[in-house]
Amino acid sequence: MTSAMLDYLIIGAGPAGLQLASLFERSGQPSYLVLEAASGPGAFFEHYPRHRQLISINKPHTGSTDPELNLRLDWNSLLSDDPELLFTRYTERYFPSADLMVRYLADFAAATGVQVRYECPVVRVAREAAGGFAVTDGSGTVHHARCVVVATGVSQPHVPSVPGIELAEGYGDMPVDPRDFLDQRVLILGKGNSAFETAENLLETTSLIHVAGPGSIRMAWRTHYVGHLRAVNNNFLDTYQLKSANAILDGEVRGIVRDADGYRVTFSFSRANEVVKELRYDRVLVCTGFRFDPSIFAEDVRPELAINDRFPAQTPEWESVNVPDLFFAGTLNQQRDFKKSTSGFIHGFRYGVRALHRILQRRYAGEAWPAEKIDAEPAAMADAIIARVNRTSALWQLFGVLADVLTVAGPDARYHEEVPVDYLVRTGLSAPDHEPTHAFAITLEYGPEHDQVDPFDVSVGRIAQDSVGEAHDAAYLHPVVRLHRDGAVAAVHHLAENLENQWDRPDVHRAPLVAFLERCLATADK
């Protein structure tokens, strides 16, 4: 059985697949279909995280009635014009249950009317001889599409190459009842949130827990990367540093052997002169993250992989680097900003998916990037920039990745929202009626080496907020305006850091920005 040619075939009805489908549905323009292997949307959250508490924050009480501003503190909602489709309406819990995410995604899919075919696993993606793709599902039906968008997430466990690792229990299969580990010595491989979430769950019933891995533990509150260890999962660190039987092991597992008495683990310590010891455990748990599964792709359309083969390699348009018209959406997009920004998480990739929708519409339907015309005068341009940075959630959440772009062509200035910075550099925003001579990219960014300083160490000097002359060295999130011209950055201006994230003081923020814009425009006119 075959189907008619679609413009887009989306694989996966998780948050990213639903977000993109809802944008297609609302525009009513391209033909599309979502194929989902499970019986409902968001199947990942039916099983993960294993201990059922999300670490994506949910704050319905913000003191603000501005829906855009409120999304800065809502890390779970997808984007829509319907205020009923906000996750914050489902619970007041700051760290909500994953079960609520499953219910929310089902409600979102129903309310938006997205075209999803459930219990329809994709088993093969191949190239059509005449162009486009042939996507075969589990029933044997072949779906034809000009473009395929993969929104499956990282669906397979990332298992380190260690002799005997197959003897251990995986994060996806291990029991979660703490009493199943009563009085046992447990080794947990991994130093991320899944490992520490697991350790936290077992603190009361085990006799000893070791959490092990080759890299350093990185705290999210220091690096500003929310995938690093979150404070909500770090109680285990107290039990180590306060000498309560548990420990962090820095180094590599050389081998795992199972015998009648449990597990013998050969461990090479990286901070003890490379000492190698054999350690005894009753259980070994592997909590080392996830990876992309490329098994459905025929050889001629198998995407090139990156980052230890964990993610598909992508262009600035989130397109496969080696398979044209094969795109990726959602947590897979973190390949472009791995451990730097938030493309791996709903509160980041919901904006990335909206940008992808605009990229696809521009490329395949000839639609211009949405833009508002404003006066090409420094004061008007500065006011537009300040108004946006004081309330945008997209630049706030997907910091350093998305930019608002103000283009100038003679007296014509246009304000474009939420453009991927790398896409701007590679493709630009020219239009038949608008060939800009200036492109000002406005981002929100942390300062240089922001992750190298303990933010709670009062002995470390810090740039004072509202310090205009030192704004470029500010550590905290603040607006940065860059002039792109002739394929390069020609000038940069930092707006001074502000505790309340209100960059609108006349002498501190607006006047220096107006002066910067005046200089940039005057230089080009000469």
Side-chain angles (χ1 to χ4, degrees), residues 398-436:
L398 208 47
F399 54 87
V401 174
L402 293 184
D404 284 359
V405 181
L406 212 172
T407 56
V408 180
D412 180 17
R414 299 185 184 182
Y415 199 101
H416 311 73
E417 296 182 0
E418 303 171 22
V419 181
V421 174
D422 292 341
Y423 176 77
L424 169 68
V425 172
R426 175 174 172 169
T427 305
L429 290 172
S430 296
D433 63 339
H434 185 74
E435 290 290 341

Side-chain angles (χ1 to χ4, degrees), residues 59-60 62-74 393:
K59 190 168 176 57
T62 65
S64 170
T65 58
D66 184 343
E68 176 70 15
L69 202 61
N70 286 341
L71 283 171
R72 292 182 176 185
L73 300 175
D74 173 359
S393 61

Side-chain angles (χ1 to χ4, degrees), residues 4-18:
M5 178 67 77
L6 296 164
D7 292 318
Y8 299 99
L9 194 288
I10 301 170
I11 304 176
L18 295 180

Side-chain angles (χ1 to χ4, degrees), residues 53-114:
Q53 179 178 270
L54 299 174
I55 56 173
S56 46
I57 67 174
N58 173 70
K59 190 168 176 57
H61 305 292
T62 65
S64 170
T65 58
D66 184 343
E68 176 70 15
L69 202 61
N70 286 341
L71 283 171
R72 292 182 176 185
L73 300 175
D74 173 359
W75 289 13
N76 300 286
S77 293
L78 299 182
L79 303 175
S80 81
D81 294 329
D82 185 352
E84 295 300 317
L85 292 179
L86 289 172
F87 188 90
T88 50
R89 294 183 179 271
Y90 285 66
T91 179
E92 293 185 334
R93 292 287 302 275
Y94 195 71
F95 294 116
S97 165
D99 296 329
L100 284 178
M101 177 58 74
V102 177
R103 180 156 67 91
Y104 169 74
L105 293 175
D107 291 347
F108 184 91
T112 56
V114 292

Side-chain angles (χ1 to χ4, degrees), residues 177-187 201-209 245-246 261-262 280-283:
D177 182 352
R179 298 200 66 79
D180 197 70
F181 298 81
L182 194 63
D183 293 322
Q184 293 183 347
R185 296 168 59 90
V186 178
L187 172 65
N201 185 55
L202 302 179
L203 281 176
E204 295 177 352
T205 57
T206 52
S207 61
L208 172 147
I209 302 173
N246 302 317
D261 296 321
R280 279 279 184 180
Y281 300 98
D282 299 299
R283 307 284 280 273

Side-chain angles (χ1 to χ4, degrees), residues 55 191-197 217-223 225-237 248:
I55 56 173
K191 287 184 174 178
N193 282 295
S194 63
F196 281 92
E197 161 207 319
I217 294 172
R218 306 202 70 192
M219 305 301 298
W221 50 258
R222 179 166 181 162
T223 66
Y225 172 65
V226 300
H228 284 147
L229 181 58
R230 301 287 296 284
V232 66
N233 284 329
N234 75 8
N235 285 336
F236 180 85
L237 298 182
I248 306 291

